[in-house]
Amino acid sequence: MTLTAAALPALNNLREVIHSQAIQPTFQPVVHLEDGVVKAYEALARFDQAHFPCPADAFAAALEAGVGVDLELLALERAFAYLDEMPAGAWLSANLSVEALLTPQVCATLLAHAPRGIAVELTEHTQVHDYPALVKVTESLREAGILIAVDDAGAGFASLSHILQLRPDIIKLDITLTRGIDNDPVRMALARSLVGFAEDIGAMLIAEGIETVAEHEKLRALGVKLGQGYFMARPGPLPDRADITGGMRNL
C-alpha cells in the first residue's frame, strides 16, 4: 500500500501504539432509565493525545493504513483485561467493525471470553458484501452466550440492514435521534416505533447520547428502558463494585 507523506506520521504513531499496546480503555455505563441501575459498560479506546487526540482519528488512520483490524483487536484485548473488575450482573460491550468480526483471530478472542458476560456492538465502517458469512459468525457468537448489538440505529441504511439480517439482541438508538427528542415530534414517533419493534423481536433498546433531564424523561415516557450519555455519566474508569449497588444517581 502506497501512503502519502502526510500519512506517514500517523502510520508511525500506529506502529508505536500497537507495538507498545498503548490503548487505555475507558468505560461508559448503560443504565436502567427508571432507577439508574447500571446494566452494562461500553468499552471505549483512548490514546495518548500526542499520538491521536481523537480516537476516531486513530481508527480512521489504521483503516487507511491497512491495520484497522489489528488496532481493533488490540482495543478488544485491552478492554477484556478489565473483565475481572466488572461489577456483578453487568455485561461488557465492545465495538467491532464487520471486517474485524469476520477475522478468525478476533472471533477466537471473543469466544475465549464468552462465559464472562460480553456483547459485541457492530459499527458501520464499510458496506457488507457477504451477509451470510456475517450471520454465520454472529450466530456462533450468540450460541456461545455473546450478545449481538447493532450500533447507531437510525443513522444510516447500513444499521437498518444489520438489524434485518442479524436479528440483534440489542439495538442502540443513535445520538442523532436522541438529541432534542423532548421537543421533536418526528424523533418521538421514530423512537416510539423502535420501542415497539424491539419488543416484537425480543431485543433490548438502548438510547445513546442522553445529555439532558428533558431527553431522559421523554425517552422514559416513550418506553425506552435503557440509556447512556453524559447526563448519567461520562466515560471513565470502572467503579469499585461496592459503589454500584445504589445505581448511578437518584433520577
Side-chain angles (χ1 to χ4, degrees):
M1 175 179 295
T2 302
L3 297 176
T4 64
L8 287 176
L11 178 58
N12 290 333
N13 285 340
L14 285 168
R15 287 171 174 162
E16 184 176 343
V17 166
I18 293 172
H19 176 72
S20 60
Q21 299 191 339
I23 293 179
Q24 177 57 52
T26 187
F27 304 90
Q28 186 172 35
V30 174
V31 308
H32 194 276
L33 296 183
E34 187 68 30
D35 55 20
V37 171
V38 175
K39 306 300 290 184
Y41 281 91
E42 179 182 355
L44 301 166
R46 294 293 181 262
F47 301 84
D48 186 328
Q49 294 220 345
H51 290 147
F52 296 102
C54 175
D57 293 340
F59 288 104
L63 186 63
E64 181 182 358
V67 293
V69 172
D70 296 318
L71 191 62
E72 289 188 64
L73 178 58
L74 175 58
L76 184 68
E77 292 171 339
R78 293 289 293 122
F80 282 175
Y82 289 80
L83 277 169
D84 287 341
E85 300 179 28
M86 285 289 294
W91 74 82
L92 177 64
S93 188
N95 295 280
L96 287 172
S97 66
V98 172
E99 298 90 338
L101 205 56
L102 291 175
T103 302
Q105 188 176 358
V106 172
C107 280
T109 300
L110 290 168
L111 291 171
H113 295 84
R116 309 290 297 279
I118 60 177
V120 173
E121 295 189 22
L122 201 59
T123 59
E124 293 188 49
H125 284 176
T126 59
Q127 183 179 359
V128 178
H129 297 287
D130 190 351
Y131 263 114
L134 181 59
V135 169
K136 183 177 180 180
V137 169
T138 56
E139 285 304 310
S140 68
L141 296 177
R142 186 180 282 114
E143 288 172 4
I146 298 172
L147 297 172
I148 304 299
V150 169
D151 203 9
D152 303 330
F157 176 77
S159 61
L160 179 58
S161 296
H162 289 347
I163 291 171
L164 293 175
Q165 296 285 342
L166 304 180
R167 307 293 198 269
D169 306 291
I170 301 167
I171 299 171
K172 300 197 76 174
L173 188 63
D174 186 68
I175 187 173
T176 58
L177 299 180
T178 300
R179 187 64 42 79
I181 194 171
D182 52 293
N183 54 24
D184 188 335
V186 174
R187 284 178 166 83
M188 293 179 204
L190 182 54
R192 189 182 295 111
S193 66
L194 284 172
V195 167
F197 176 79
E199 289 176 351
D200 286 346
I201 69 170
M204 293 178 277
L205 184 67
I206 300 174
E208 297 183 285
I210 303 173
E211 295 193 353
T212 69
V213 62
E215 291 169 352
H216 178 277
E217 292 306 305
K218 177 54 67 176
L219 287 162
R220 280 182 58 191
L222 291 171
V224 178
K225 294 182 172 60
L226 299 172
Q228 66 185 107
Y230 286 1
F231 174 69
M232 285 82 76
R234 292 174 177 266
L238 289 172
D240 292 335
R241 290 178 181 239
D243 293 339
I244 201 170
T245 56
M248 291 301 302
R249 58 162 76 193
N250 293 321
L251 298 175

